[in-house]
mmCIF file with all atom_site columns, all heavy atoms in Angstrom:
data_model
loop_
_atom_site.group_PDB
_atom_site.id
_atom_site.type_symbol
_atom_site.label_atom_id
_atom_site.label_alt_id
_atom_site.label_comp_id
_atom_site.label_asym_id
_atom_site.label_entity_id
_atom_site.label_seq_id
_atom_site.pdbx_PDB_ins_code
_atom_site.Cartn_x
_atom_site.Cartn_y
_atom_site.Cartn_z
_atom_site.occupancy
_atom_site.B_iso_or_equiv
_atom_site.pdbx_formal_charge
_atom_site.auth_seq_id
_atom_site.auth_comp_id
_atom_site.auth_asym_id
_atom_site.auth_atom_id
_atom_site.pdbx_PDB_model_num
ATOM 1   N N   . PRO U 1 1  ? 0.806  -1.226  0.000   1.00 84.00 ? 11 PRO U N   1
ATOM 2   C CA  . PRO U 1 1  ? 0.000  0.000   0.000   1.00 84.00 ? 11 PRO U CA  1
ATOM 3   C C   . PRO U 1 1  ? 0.832  1.265   0.000   1.00 84.00 ? 11 PRO U C   1
ATOM 4   O O   . PRO U 1 1  ? 0.311  2.334   -0.317  1.00 84.00 ? 11 PRO U O   1
ATOM 5   C CB  . PRO U 1 1  ? -0.822 -0.122  1.290   1.00 84.00 ? 11 PRO U CB  1
ATOM 6   C CG  . PRO U 1 1  ? -0.036 -1.038  2.160   1.00 84.00 ? 11 PRO U CG  1
ATOM 7   C CD  . PRO U 1 1  ? 0.604  -2.016  1.225   1.00 84.00 ? 11 PRO U CD  1
ATOM 8   N N   . ARG U 1 2  ? 2.107  1.159   0.319   1.00 83.00 ? 12 ARG U N   1
ATOM 9   C CA  . ARG U 1 2  ? 2.993  2.321   0.344   1.00 83.00 ? 12 ARG U CA  1
ATOM 10  C C   . ARG U 1 2  ? 3.859  2.428   -0.913  1.00 83.00 ? 12 ARG U C   1
ATOM 11  O O   . ARG U 1 2  ? 4.610  3.380   -1.062  1.00 83.00 ? 12 ARG U O   1
ATOM 12  C CB  . ARG U 1 2  ? 3.895  2.265   1.567   1.00 83.00 ? 12 ARG U CB  1
ATOM 13  C CG  . ARG U 1 2  ? 4.615  0.942   1.722   1.00 83.00 ? 12 ARG U CG  1
ATOM 14  C CD  . ARG U 1 2  ? 5.517  0.929   2.940   1.00 83.00 ? 12 ARG U CD  1
ATOM 15  N NE  . ARG U 1 2  ? 5.867  -0.434  3.306   1.00 83.00 ? 12 ARG U NE  1
ATOM 16  C CZ  . ARG U 1 2  ? 6.748  -1.181  2.649   1.00 83.00 ? 12 ARG U CZ  1
ATOM 17  N NH1 . ARG U 1 2  ? 7.355  -0.697  1.574   1.00 83.00 ? 12 ARG U NH1 1
ATOM 18  N NH2 . ARG U 1 2  ? 7.009  -2.413  3.053   1.00 83.00 ? 12 ARG U NH2 1
ATOM 19  N N   . GLY U 1 3  ? 3.778  1.464   -1.790  1.00 74.00 ? 13 GLY U N   1
ATOM 20  C CA  . GLY U 1 3  ? 4.561  1.479   -3.006  1.00 74.00 ? 13 GLY U CA  1
ATOM 21  C C   . GLY U 1 3  ? 4.080  2.532   -3.985  1.00 74.00 ? 13 GLY U C   1
ATOM 22  O O   . GLY U 1 3  ? 2.880  2.796   -4.094  1.00 74.00 ? 13 GLY U O   1
ATOM 23  N N   . SER U 1 4  ? 5.021  3.120   -4.717  1.00 79.00 ? 14 SER U N   1
ATOM 24  C CA  . SER U 1 4  ? 4.692  4.182   -5.656  1.00 79.00 ? 14 SER U CA  1
ATOM 25  C C   . SER U 1 4  ? 4.761  3.755   -7.118  1.00 79.00 ? 14 SER U C   1
ATOM 26  O O   . SER U 1 4  ? 4.160  4.406   -7.967  1.00 79.00 ? 14 SER U O   1
ATOM 27  C CB  . SER U 1 4  ? 5.625  5.376   -5.448  1.00 79.00 ? 14 SER U CB  1
ATOM 28  O OG  . SER U 1 4  ? 5.484  5.922   -4.149  1.00 79.00 ? 14 SER U OG  1
ATOM 29  N N   . TYR U 1 5  ? 5.485  2.675   -7.415  1.00 90.00 ? 15 TYR U N   1
ATOM 30  C CA  . TYR U 1 5  ? 5.714  2.262   -8.793  1.00 90.00 ? 15 TYR U CA  1
ATOM 31  C C   . TYR U 1 5  ? 5.321  0.802   -8.981  1.00 90.00 ? 15 TYR U C   1
ATOM 32  O O   . TYR U 1 5  ? 5.937  -0.100  -8.416  1.00 90.00 ? 15 TYR U O   1
ATOM 33  C CB  . TYR U 1 5  ? 7.177  2.467   -9.170  1.00 90.00 ? 15 TYR U CB  1
ATOM 34  C CG  . TYR U 1 5  ? 7.658  3.877   -8.918  1.00 90.00 ? 15 TYR U CG  1
ATOM 35  C CD1 . TYR U 1 5  ? 8.377  4.189   -7.769  1.00 90.00 ? 15 TYR U CD1 1
ATOM 36  C CD2 . TYR U 1 5  ? 7.380  4.894   -9.827  1.00 90.00 ? 15 TYR U CD2 1
ATOM 37  C CE1 . TYR U 1 5  ? 8.809  5.481   -7.534  1.00 90.00 ? 15 TYR U CE1 1
ATOM 38  C CE2 . TYR U 1 5  ? 7.812  6.190   -9.591  1.00 90.00 ? 15 TYR U CE2 1
ATOM 39  C CZ  . TYR U 1 5  ? 8.527  6.481   -8.451  1.00 90.00 ? 15 TYR U CZ  1
ATOM 40  O OH  . TYR U 1 5  ? 8.959  7.765   -8.228  1.00 90.00 ? 15 TYR U OH  1
ATOM 41  N N   . TYR U 1 6  ? 4.338  0.572   -9.821  1.00 91.00 ? 16 TYR U N   1
ATOM 42  C CA  . TYR U 1 6  ? 3.838  -0.781  -10.018 1.00 91.00 ? 16 TYR U CA  1
ATOM 43  C C   . TYR U 1 6  ? 4.814  -1.684  -10.762 1.00 91.00 ? 16 TYR U C   1
ATOM 44  O O   . TYR U 1 6  ? 4.704  -2.908  -10.700 1.00 91.00 ? 16 TYR U O   1
ATOM 45  C CB  . TYR U 1 6  ? 2.497  -0.761  -10.760 1.00 91.00 ? 16 TYR U CB  1
ATOM 46  C CG  . TYR U 1 6  ? 2.551  -0.109  -12.130 1.00 91.00 ? 16 TYR U CG  1
ATOM 47  C CD1 . TYR U 1 6  ? 3.026  -0.812  -13.235 1.00 91.00 ? 16 TYR U CD1 1
ATOM 48  C CD2 . TYR U 1 6  ? 2.109  1.192   -12.312 1.00 91.00 ? 16 TYR U CD2 1
ATOM 49  C CE1 . TYR U 1 6  ? 3.081  -0.225  -14.482 1.00 91.00 ? 16 TYR U CE1 1
ATOM 50  C CE2 . TYR U 1 6  ? 2.157  1.785   -13.566 1.00 91.00 ? 16 TYR U CE2 1
ATOM 51  C CZ  . TYR U 1 6  ? 2.645  1.079   -14.643 1.00 91.00 ? 16 TYR U CZ  1
ATOM 52  O OH  . TYR U 1 6  ? 2.690  1.669   -15.883 1.00 91.00 ? 16 TYR U OH  1
ATOM 53  N N   . SER U 1 7  ? 5.774  -1.099  -11.481 1.00 95.00 ? 17 SER U N   1
ATOM 54  C CA  . SER U 1 7  ? 6.712  -1.886  -12.262 1.00 95.00 ? 17 SER U CA  1
ATOM 55  C C   . SER U 1 7  ? 7.991  -2.243  -11.502 1.00 95.00 ? 17 SER U C   1
ATOM 56  O O   . SER U 1 7  ? 8.844  -2.937  -12.047 1.00 95.00 ? 17 SER U O   1
ATOM 57  C CB  . SER U 1 7  ? 7.081  -1.137  -13.543 1.00 95.00 ? 17 SER U CB  1
ATOM 58  O OG  . SER U 1 7  ? 7.717  0.092   -13.254 1.00 95.00 ? 17 SER U OG  1
ATOM 59  N N   . ARG U 1 8  ? 8.114  -1.795  -10.283 1.00 95.00 ? 18 ARG U N   1
ATOM 60  C CA  . ARG U 1 8  ? 9.308  -2.064  -9.491  1.00 95.00 ? 18 ARG U CA  1
ATOM 61  C C   . ARG U 1 8  ? 9.025  -3.141  -8.446  1.00 95.00 ? 18 ARG U C   1
ATOM 62  O O   . ARG U 1 8  ? 8.048  -3.060  -7.716  1.00 95.00 ? 18 ARG U O   1
ATOM 63  C CB  . ARG U 1 8  ? 9.800  -0.794  -8.805  1.00 95.00 ? 18 ARG U CB  1
ATOM 64  C CG  . ARG U 1 8  ? 10.204 0.303   -9.792  1.00 95.00 ? 18 ARG U CG  1
ATOM 65  C CD  . ARG U 1 8  ? 10.725 1.524   -9.078  1.00 95.00 ? 18 ARG U CD  1
ATOM 66  N NE  . ARG U 1 8  ? 11.121 2.568   -10.001 1.00 95.00 ? 18 ARG U NE  1
ATOM 67  C CZ  . ARG U 1 8  ? 11.601 3.747   -9.649  1.00 95.00 ? 18 ARG U CZ  1
ATOM 68  N NH1 . ARG U 1 8  ? 11.756 4.036   -8.360  1.00 95.00 ? 18 ARG U NH1 1
ATOM 69  N NH2 . ARG U 1 8  ? 11.930 4.635   -10.564 1.00 95.00 ? 18 ARG U NH2 1
ATOM 70  N N   . LYS U 1 9  ? 9.899  -4.123  -8.375  1.00 94.00 ? 19 LYS U N   1
ATOM 71  C CA  . LYS U 1 9  ? 9.691  -5.212  -7.435  1.00 94.00 ? 19 LYS U CA  1
ATOM 72  C C   . LYS U 1 9  ? 9.721  -4.744  -5.992  1.00 94.00 ? 19 LYS U C   1
ATOM 73  O O   . LYS U 1 9  ? 9.132  -5.388  -5.119  1.00 94.00 ? 19 LYS U O   1
ATOM 74  C CB  . LYS U 1 9  ? 10.718 -6.327  -7.643  1.00 94.00 ? 19 LYS U CB  1
ATOM 75  C CG  . LYS U 1 9  ? 12.161 -5.898  -7.544  1.00 94.00 ? 19 LYS U CG  1
ATOM 76  C CD  . LYS U 1 9  ? 13.072 -7.083  -7.858  1.00 94.00 ? 19 LYS U CD  1
ATOM 77  C CE  . LYS U 1 9  ? 14.543 -6.713  -7.733  1.00 94.00 ? 19 LYS U CE  1
ATOM 78  N NZ  . LYS U 1 9  ? 14.949 -5.715  -8.742  1.00 94.00 ? 19 LYS U NZ  1
ATOM 79  N N   . GLU U 1 10 ? 10.379 -3.614  -5.746  1.00 94.00 ? 20 GLU U N   1
ATOM 80  C CA  . GLU U 1 10 ? 10.433 -3.067  -4.396  1.00 94.00 ? 20 GLU U CA  1
ATOM 81  C C   . GLU U 1 10 ? 9.081  -2.556  -3.912  1.00 94.00 ? 20 GLU U C   1
ATOM 82  O O   . GLU U 1 10 ? 8.914  -2.296  -2.718  1.00 94.00 ? 20 GLU U O   1
ATOM 83  C CB  . GLU U 1 10 ? 11.454 -1.926  -4.330  1.00 94.00 ? 20 GLU U CB  1
ATOM 84  C CG  . GLU U 1 10 ? 12.894 -2.362  -4.509  1.00 94.00 ? 20 GLU U CG  1
ATOM 85  C CD  . GLU U 1 10 ? 13.280 -2.561  -5.963  1.00 94.00 ? 20 GLU U CD  1
ATOM 86  O OE1 . GLU U 1 10 ? 12.464 -2.246  -6.858  1.00 94.00 ? 20 GLU U OE1 1
ATOM 87  O OE2 . GLU U 1 10 ? 14.406 -3.028  -6.212  1.00 94.00 ? 20 GLU U OE2 1
ATOM 88  N N   . SER U 1 11 ? 8.116  -2.429  -4.798  1.00 95.00 ? 21 SER U N   1
ATOM 89  C CA  . SER U 1 11 ? 6.786  -1.952  -4.441  1.00 95.00 ? 21 SER U CA  1
ATOM 90  C C   . SER U 1 11 ? 5.841  -3.076  -4.042  1.00 95.00 ? 21 SER U C   1
ATOM 91  O O   . SER U 1 11 ? 4.659  -2.824  -3.820  1.00 95.00 ? 21 SER U O   1
ATOM 92  C CB  . SER U 1 11 ? 6.178  -1.164  -5.602  1.00 95.00 ? 21 SER U CB  1
ATOM 93  O OG  . SER U 1 11 ? 6.913  0.025   -5.857  1.00 95.00 ? 21 SER U OG  1
ATOM 94  N N   . TYR U 1 12 ? 6.342  -4.286  -3.952  1.00 95.00 ? 22 TYR U N   1
ATOM 95  C CA  . TYR U 1 12 ? 5.530  -5.456  -3.613  1.00 95.00 ? 22 TYR U CA  1
ATOM 96  C C   . TYR U 1 12 ? 6.021  -6.096  -2.322  1.00 95.00 ? 22 TYR U C   1
ATOM 97  O O   . TYR U 1 12 ? 7.231  -6.214  -2.096  1.00 95.00 ? 22 TYR U O   1
ATOM 98  C CB  . TYR U 1 12 ? 5.551  -6.469  -4.761  1.00 95.00 ? 22 TYR U CB  1
ATOM 99  C CG  . TYR U 1 12 ? 4.911  -5.922  -6.011  1.00 95.00 ? 22 TYR U CG  1
ATOM 100 C CD1 . TYR U 1 12 ? 5.609  -5.075  -6.857  1.00 95.00 ? 22 TYR U CD1 1
ATOM 101 C CD2 . TYR U 1 12 ? 3.595  -6.239  -6.334  1.00 95.00 ? 22 TYR U CD2 1
ATOM 102 C CE1 . TYR U 1 12 ? 5.008  -4.551  -7.990  1.00 95.00 ? 22 TYR U CE1 1
ATOM 103 C CE2 . TYR U 1 12 ? 2.998  -5.730  -7.462  1.00 95.00 ? 22 TYR U CE2 1
ATOM 104 C CZ  . TYR U 1 12 ? 3.709  -4.880  -8.290  1.00 95.00 ? 22 TYR U CZ  1
ATOM 105 O OH  . TYR U 1 12 ? 3.116  -4.361  -9.412  1.00 95.00 ? 22 TYR U OH  1
ATOM 106 N N   . ASP U 1 13 ? 5.073  -6.520  -1.499  1.00 92.00 ? 23 ASP U N   1
ATOM 107 C CA  . ASP U 1 13 ? 5.394  -7.034  -0.170  1.00 92.00 ? 23 ASP U CA  1
ATOM 108 C C   . ASP U 1 13 ? 5.485  -8.554  -0.087  1.00 92.00 ? 23 ASP U C   1
ATOM 109 O O   . ASP U 1 13 ? 6.285  -9.088  0.681   1.00 92.00 ? 23 ASP U O   1
ATOM 110 C CB  . ASP U 1 13 ? 4.350  -6.563  0.844   1.00 92.00 ? 23 ASP U CB  1
ATOM 111 C CG  . ASP U 1 13 ? 4.518  -5.109  1.236   1.00 92.00 ? 23 ASP U CG  1
ATOM 112 O OD1 . ASP U 1 13 ? 5.646  -4.592  1.160   1.00 92.00 ? 23 ASP U OD1 1
ATOM 113 O OD2 . ASP U 1 13 ? 3.512  -4.492  1.635   1.00 92.00 ? 23 ASP U OD2 1
ATOM 114 N N   . TYR U 1 14 ? 4.652  -9.261  -0.844  1.00 93.00 ? 24 TYR U N   1
ATOM 115 C CA  . TYR U 1 14 ? 4.564  -10.709 -0.727  1.00 93.00 ? 24 TYR U CA  1
ATOM 116 C C   . TYR U 1 14 ? 4.729  -11.356 -2.090  1.00 93.00 ? 24 TYR U C   1
ATOM 117 O O   . TYR U 1 14 ? 4.188  -10.875 -3.096  1.00 93.00 ? 24 TYR U O   1
ATOM 118 C CB  . TYR U 1 14 ? 3.225  -11.123 -0.114  1.00 93.00 ? 24 TYR U CB  1
ATOM 119 C CG  . TYR U 1 14 ? 2.974  -10.500 1.236   1.00 93.00 ? 24 TYR U CG  1
ATOM 120 C CD1 . TYR U 1 14 ? 2.157  -9.386  1.362   1.00 93.00 ? 24 TYR U CD1 1
ATOM 121 C CD2 . TYR U 1 14 ? 3.565  -11.019 2.378   1.00 93.00 ? 24 TYR U CD2 1
ATOM 122 C CE1 . TYR U 1 14 ? 1.931  -8.803  2.596   1.00 93.00 ? 24 TYR U CE1 1
ATOM 123 C CE2 . TYR U 1 14 ? 3.350  -10.439 3.615   1.00 93.00 ? 24 TYR U CE2 1
ATOM 124 C CZ  . TYR U 1 14 ? 2.529  -9.331  3.719   1.00 93.00 ? 24 TYR U CZ  1
ATOM 125 O OH  . TYR U 1 14 ? 2.317  -8.757  4.946   1.00 93.00 ? 24 TYR U OH  1
ATOM 126 N N   . TRP U 1 15 ? 5.447  -12.487 -2.105  1.00 96.00 ? 25 TRP U N   1
ATOM 127 C CA  . TRP U 1 15 ? 5.783  -13.179 -3.347  1.00 96.00 ? 25 TRP U CA  1
ATOM 128 C C   . TRP U 1 15 ? 5.485  -14.668 -3.252  1.00 96.00 ? 25 TRP U C   1
ATOM 129 O O   . TRP U 1 15 ? 5.653  -15.278 -2.194  1.00 96.00 ? 25 TRP U O   1
ATOM 130 C CB  . TRP U 1 15 ? 7.267  -13.004 -3.673  1.00 96.00 ? 25 TRP U CB  1
ATOM 131 C CG  . TRP U 1 15 ? 7.650  -11.590 -3.909  1.00 96.00 ? 25 TRP U CG  1
ATOM 132 C CD1 . TRP U 1 15 ? 7.914  -10.640 -2.974  1.00 96.00 ? 25 TRP U CD1 1
ATOM 133 C CD2 . TRP U 1 15 ? 7.820  -10.961 -5.180  1.00 96.00 ? 25 TRP U CD2 1
ATOM 134 N NE1 . TRP U 1 15 ? 8.230  -9.446  -3.579  1.00 96.00 ? 25 TRP U NE1 1
ATOM 135 C CE2 . TRP U 1 15 ? 8.185  -9.615  -4.933  1.00 96.00 ? 25 TRP U CE2 1
ATOM 136 C CE3 . TRP U 1 15 ? 7.704  -11.398 -6.499  1.00 96.00 ? 25 TRP U CE3 1
ATOM 137 C CZ2 . TRP U 1 15 ? 8.430  -8.709  -5.963  1.00 96.00 ? 25 TRP U CZ2 1
ATOM 138 C CZ3 . TRP U 1 15 ? 7.951  -10.502 -7.525  1.00 96.00 ? 25 TRP U CZ3 1
ATOM 139 C CH2 . TRP U 1 15 ? 8.314  -9.167  -7.250  1.00 96.00 ? 25 TRP U CH2 1
ATOM 140 N N   . GLY U 1 16 ? 5.065  -15.240 -4.370  1.00 96.00 ? 26 GLY U N   1
ATOM 141 C CA  . GLY U 1 16 ? 4.928  -16.679 -4.448  1.00 96.00 ? 26 GLY U CA  1
ATOM 142 C C   . GLY U 1 16 ? 6.260  -17.340 -4.735  1.00 96.00 ? 26 GLY U C   1
ATOM 143 O O   . GLY U 1 16 ? 7.290  -16.676 -4.892  1.00 96.00 ? 26 GLY U O   1
ATOM 144 N N   . GLN U 1 17 ? 6.252  -18.666 -4.831  1.00 96.00 ? 27 GLN U N   1
ATOM 145 C CA  . GLN U 1 17 ? 7.471  -19.426 -5.078  1.00 96.00 ? 27 GLN U CA  1
ATOM 146 C C   . GLN U 1 17 ? 7.834  -19.515 -6.545  1.00 96.00 ? 27 GLN U C   1
ATOM 147 O O   . GLN U 1 17 ? 8.959  -19.895 -6.884  1.00 96.00 ? 27 GLN U O   1
ATOM 148 C CB  . GLN U 1 17 ? 7.345  -20.825 -4.487  1.00 96.00 ? 27 GLN U CB  1
ATOM 149 C CG  . GLN U 1 17 ? 7.270  -20.840 -2.969  1.00 96.00 ? 27 GLN U CG  1
ATOM 150 C CD  . GLN U 1 17 ? 8.506  -20.233 -2.343  1.00 96.00 ? 27 GLN U CD  1
ATOM 151 O OE1 . GLN U 1 17 ? 9.632  -20.659 -2.620  1.00 96.00 ? 27 GLN U OE1 1
ATOM 152 N NE2 . GLN U 1 17 ? 8.311  -19.220 -1.499  1.00 96.00 ? 27 GLN U NE2 1
ATOM 153 N N   . GLY U 1 18 ? 6.917  -19.179 -7.426  1.00 97.00 ? 28 GLY U N   1
ATOM 154 C CA  . GLY U 1 18 ? 7.193  -19.161 -8.846  1.00 97.00 ? 28 GLY U CA  1
ATOM 155 C C   . GLY U 1 18 ? 6.766  -20.430 -9.563  1.00 97.00 ? 28 GLY U C   1
ATOM 156 O O   . GLY U 1 18 ? 6.667  -21.501 -8.966  1.00 97.00 ? 28 GLY U O   1
ATOM 157 N N   . THR U 1 19 ? 6.520  -20.296 -10.858 1.00 98.00 ? 29 THR U N   1
ATOM 158 C CA  . THR U 1 19 ? 6.200  -21.432 -11.712 1.00 98.00 ? 29 THR U CA  1
ATOM 159 C C   . THR U 1 19 ? 7.014  -21.315 -12.997 1.00 98.00 ? 29 THR U C   1
ATOM 160 O O   . THR U 1 19 ? 7.126  -20.236 -13.583 1.00 98.00 ? 29 THR U O   1
ATOM 161 C CB  . THR U 1 19 ? 4.686  -21.498 -12.008 1.00 98.00 ? 29 THR U CB  1
ATOM 162 O OG1 . THR U 1 19 ? 4.393  -22.681 -12.754 1.00 98.00 ? 29 THR U OG1 1
ATOM 163 C CG2 . THR U 1 19 ? 4.203  -20.275 -12.775 1.00 98.00 ? 29 THR U CG2 1
ATOM 164 N N   . GLN U 1 20 ? 7.595  -22.428 -13.428 1.00 98.00 ? 30 GLN U N   1
ATOM 165 C CA  . GLN U 1 20 ? 8.505  -22.424 -14.567 1.00 98.00 ? 30 GLN U CA  1
ATOM 166 C C   . GLN U 1 20 ? 7.745  -22.444 -15.883 1.00 98.00 ? 30 GLN U C   1
ATOM 167 O O   . GLN U 1 20 ? 6.843  -23.261 -16.085 1.00 98.00 ? 30 GLN U O   1
ATOM 168 C CB  . GLN U 1 20 ? 9.437  -23.633 -14.499 1.00 98.00 ? 30 GLN U CB  1
ATOM 169 C CG  . GLN U 1 20 ? 10.371 -23.779 -15.698 1.00 98.00 ? 30 GLN U CG  1
ATOM 170 C CD  . GLN U 1 20 ? 11.455 -22.730 -15.724 1.00 98.00 ? 30 GLN U CD  1
ATOM 171 O OE1 . GLN U 1 20 ? 12.130 -22.512 -14.718 1.00 98.00 ? 30 GLN U OE1 1
ATOM 172 N NE2 . GLN U 1 20 ? 11.628 -22.070 -16.863 1.00 98.00 ? 30 GLN U NE2 1
ATOM 173 N N   . VAL U 1 21 ? 8.142  -21.556 -16.788 1.00 98.00 ? 31 VAL U N   1
ATOM 174 C CA  . VAL U 1 21 ? 7.635  -21.542 -18.153 1.00 98.00 ? 31 VAL U CA  1
ATOM 175 C C   . VAL U 1 21 ? 8.816  -21.724 -19.090 1.00 98.00 ? 31 VAL U C   1
ATOM 176 O O   . VAL U 1 21 ? 9.769  -20.945 -19.047 1.00 98.00 ? 31 VAL U O   1
ATOM 177 C CB  . VAL U 1 21 ? 6.898  -20.233 -18.482 1.00 98.00 ? 31 VAL U CB  1
ATOM 178 C CG1 . VAL U 1 21 ? 6.540  -20.173 -19.966 1.00 98.00 ? 31 VAL U CG1 1
ATOM 179 C CG2 . VAL U 1 21 ? 5.651  -20.096 -17.628 1.00 98.00 ? 31 VAL U CG2 1
ATOM 180 N N   . THR U 1 22 ? 8.762  -22.746 -19.925 1.00 98.00 ? 32 THR U N   1
ATOM 181 C CA  . THR U 1 22 ? 9.822  -23.030 -20.877 1.00 98.00 ? 32 THR U CA  1
ATOM 182 C C   . THR U 1 22 ? 9.230  -23.063 -22.281 1.00 98.00 ? 32 THR U C   1
ATOM 183 O O   . THR U 1 22 ? 8.295  -23.820 -22.544 1.00 98.00 ? 32 THR U O   1
ATOM 184 C CB  . THR U 1 22 ? 10.504 -24.365 -20.571 1.00 98.00 ? 32 THR U CB  1
ATOM 185 O OG1 . THR U 1 22 ? 11.034 -24.342 -19.241 1.00 98.00 ? 32 THR U OG1 1
ATOM 186 C CG2 . THR U 1 22 ? 11.635 -24.628 -21.553 1.00 98.00 ? 32 THR U CG2 1
ATOM 187 N N   . VAL U 1 23 ? 9.787  -22.248 -23.171 1.00 98.00 ? 33 VAL U N   1
ATOM 188 C CA  . VAL U 1 23 ? 9.296  -22.152 -24.543 1.00 98.00 ? 33 VAL U CA  1
ATOM 189 C C   . VAL U 1 23 ? 10.408 -22.585 -25.486 1.00 98.00 ? 33 VAL U C   1
ATOM 190 O O   . VAL U 1 23 ? 11.489 -21.993 -25.499 1.00 98.00 ? 33 VAL U O   1
ATOM 191 C CB  . VAL U 1 23 ? 8.836  -20.732 -24.892 1.00 98.00 ? 33 VAL U CB  1
ATOM 192 C CG1 . VAL U 1 23 ? 8.225  -20.704 -26.285 1.00 98.00 ? 33 VAL U CG1 1
ATOM 193 C CG2 . VAL U 1 23 ? 7.840  -20.229 -23.860 1.00 98.00 ? 33 VAL U CG2 1
ATOM 194 N N   . SER U 1 24 ? 10.142 -23.610 -26.279 1.00 98.00 ? 34 SER U N   1
ATOM 195 C CA  . SER U 1 24 ? 11.118 -24.153 -27.213 1.00 98.00 ? 34 SER U CA  1
ATOM 196 C C   . SER U 1 24 ? 10.767 -23.743 -28.635 1.00 98.00 ? 34 SER U C   1
ATOM 197 O O   . SER U 1 24 ? 9.594  -23.590 -28.992 1.00 98.00 ? 34 SER U O   1
ATOM 198 C CB  . SER U 1 24 ? 11.169 -25.678 -27.117 1.00 98.00 ? 34 SER U CB  1
ATOM 199 O OG  . SER U 1 24 ? 11.491 -26.099 -25.811 1.00 98.00 ? 34 SER U OG  1
ATOM 200 N N   . SER U 1 25 ? 11.791 -23.588 -29.465 1.00 93.00 ? 35 SER U N   1
ATOM 201 C CA  . SER U 1 25 ? 11.589 -23.250 -30.866 1.00 93.00 ? 35 SER U CA  1
ATOM 202 C C   . SER U 1 25 ? 11.520 -24.482 -31.742 1.00 93.00 ? 35 SER U C   1
ATOM 203 O O   . SER U 1 25 ? 11.006 -24.449 -32.841 1.00 93.00 ? 35 SER U O   1
ATOM 204 C CB  . SER U 1 25 ? 12.704 -22.322 -31.349 1.00 93.00 ? 35 SER U CB  1
ATOM 205 O OG  . SER U 1 25 ? 13.963 -22.955 -31.230 1.00 93.00 ? 35 SER U OG  1
#
């Protein structure tokens, strides 16, 4: 709620563990 920039990771408080995306040609 105190973040000023939506594109900066520093403006986010909580994160998930991530999911892998792999794209092959």
Side-chain angles (χ1 to χ4, degrees):
R12 51 179 162 75
S14 298
Y15 306 99
Y16 59 80
S17 62
R18 298 182 180 179
K19 57 184 182 295
E20 292 81 6
S21 295
Y22 296 80
D23 284 334
Y24 303 100
W25 297 81
Q27 294 300 305
T29 185
Q30 176 71 49
V31 173
T32 302
V33 185
S34 302
S35 61

